[in-house]
Amino acid sequence: MRRTLSVPRTVSPFTATTLGAPRIGPHRELKRAIEGYWAGRIDKAQLESVAADLRAQTWNQLTAAGLDSIPVNTFSYYDQMLDTAVLLGALPGRYTDLTHELDRYFAAARGTAEIAPLEMTKWFDTNYHYIVPEIGPSTQFSLNPAKVVAELEEAQELGIAARPVIIGPITFLALSKAVDGAEPPIGRLDELIAVYATLLATLANHGAEWVQIDEPVLATDMLDDAADLARHAYNVLGDLSYRPAIFVATYFGELTDALPALAATPVEAIGIDLVAGSASTVAVVPELANKTVVAGVVDGRNIWRTDLQSALGTLASLLGSVAHLAVSTSCSTLHVPYALDAEPDIDAVLRSWLAFGFEKVTEVVALAKGLTQGREAIAGEVAASNGAIASRTSDPRLHNNDVRERLASILASGLTRGQAADRRKSQDARLNLPVLPTTTIGSYPQTVEIRKARAALVAGEIDDTEYTNRMKAEVESVIRLQERLGIDVLVHGEPERNDMVQYFAEQLEGFFATANGWVQSYGTRCVRPPILFGDVARPKPMTVDWATYAQSLTDKPVKGMLTGPVTILAWSFVRDDQPLADSANQVALAIRDETVDLEAAGIAIIQVDEPALRELLPLRRKDKDAYLDWAVSAFRLSTSGVADATQIHTHLCYSEFGEVIGAIADLDADVTSVEAARSHMEIVGDLTAAGFANSIGPGVYDIHSPRVPNTGEIADGLRAALSAVGPERLWVNPDCGLKTRKADEVEAALRNMVEAAKQVRADA
Ligand code: GLN
Ligand code: ZN
């Protein structure tokens, strides 16, 4: 049943929108409901009603704020890539026996006792994790539009100017993983375009005037032929005679040659991220004179208030080059907290510098008004924005001269330690460890007692002293456990840390924490990133008491545990008024001071974790070297203040190093632990081949699974590693921290690990 619309179609243009909105609920209502459903506390109908209420609330708020086109289908029970896999009939066969649709969906997201979940990985360079679809020879795409159609109808019934949002075919395939020997999924673009064609007709049938198709991959170097693929896909979809108007949204970077390619296709609108990229790219593409350009001038992924005057200037500069200009956030506001009104305790000055999701929408509306009615129409808003910016630039907390001077002088004197071989000699003499020393990555299970104590402290039922005493009891029990197991290098277990970044941010000047600034990290997991707003200083030691207490309980060495500068930045909202490299160095200086204090307190081994080193890697190849330079240099700044006899460890949470492998060697840590169990120790050889000559602790078992590894398989892994490095360079440890595991699993697994190390030592 195909109706024909006239082409060029007559659609009403929109002027103010956002690319997507947070969905977990202003008070994490969705998280609670989903976890309640998993635990059997509520049923499907109750879960659906919480979700529908949240959707209606979001759409009504966006409409009331003044947006004239509202994104729908940006809601998700877990993740939008997983939703897209379901939409396209691309769930792997192992889930098809689960007949209950919602349970099948959650099985793909999280696994069941019998079936492995899909993998999860970072969404571009954000802290959001998406579910990675698997595309194999048996994947048969088919359209399953129930969710997007239901949300469209739901919004239409509420009188919302709804614009369905779907992830585009190029991005979907580029982010999917080939399985069972299949070729790279992008080879199946034509098949998928046919499915999208049917989807577009379906959405037109349901009265969608506009559809937003997200293609962020076009702003990256993930595909070599992105421009050609874009030209092809959107010529085919654009040429369809029966479809809604198409808005191709891109974000997180500049488009380069994909922009003229898209502009030459029949799509009606193109979204450009003008926070990450520059407006000058628009004027040089003559075809944009026939398009709506959706200008992402309000930063959708950081929390700073927009400089309205400068954004208006950017918008004005575009007017002559495009047919119609709409204002938008640069990307979905999924990446920022809901609204500032949930933060009554932030001091008024700081607060005036900020814009969370809701405030960003009001900025978009103001800018659209300024654009259509003239600058005078928003004179009040511009004045307030100028005032906030003036207050921020002149705030004394942004400039700490002591910190800047000390930093300059340390940087000038160089960040090198002694030669690795000399360090090893002094460390061996001091530590006296066996070959193949055993250790763990830092955290031990967050037990019920720990959680109870933390809740009681927050509720005011116990005081700081009582809380500290309870945490000390935990430390003692973790030390005793490690002694019983015969581990060589101990840790204190990190019970006092809510989060490995927040814990440090709370103790550093220049950061502040929000009370309710929750952002979805993946599924129902939410994080509250600290806000880095000023120069960073460390008023006093942060971890020394814990480390020395733990060390006082045992004769074995206890590692001091710190989070590295790159990871602290990666998991915070960062200041946008100076290069990231400068902020990294300031954090690094604070960590360096901490290492020096730990050393002075007698701690012989200090671990500086950098699990986020790879995820901050820029999306464009041309920017990567500069990033790795400053990231490595910040790490070295944080670790080069100690004597050669103090052993520096680092931990990286992944095994596919790819473009960062050279940087790992440049970090020059004495010992580097990495994830390796799932990739069968190949990483040991890869690292050695890349010139890495220090010690390595390839994770000998996967801590992400409750399964207890047996001694034989751990010993086999160690022997495999020994074929790539000599015994004097090999450490024995799990893949990552143990905080998500149960105490009995941890004890059993570590017992087998220590036993395996003994067996392999005997014949090494
Ligand atoms: N030391 C941290 C822990 O063990 C490291 C966590 C991580 O790698 N993300 O929990
Ligand atoms: Zn880890």
Side-chain angles (χ1 to χ4, degrees), residues 194 348 391 428 443 484 512 559 677 712 734 749:
S391 138
D428 284 350
S443 58
R484 269 202 314 280
F512 70 94
K559 286 194 271 193

Side-chain angles (χ1 to χ4, degrees), residues 324-349:
H324 176 72
L325 193 59
V327 185
S328 166
T329 54
S330 62
C331 59
S332 168
T333 57
L334 176 70
H335 308 290
V336 294
Y338 265 79
L340 268 174
D341 67 9
E343 300 297 332
D345 297 333
I346 297 184
D347 91 64
V349 175

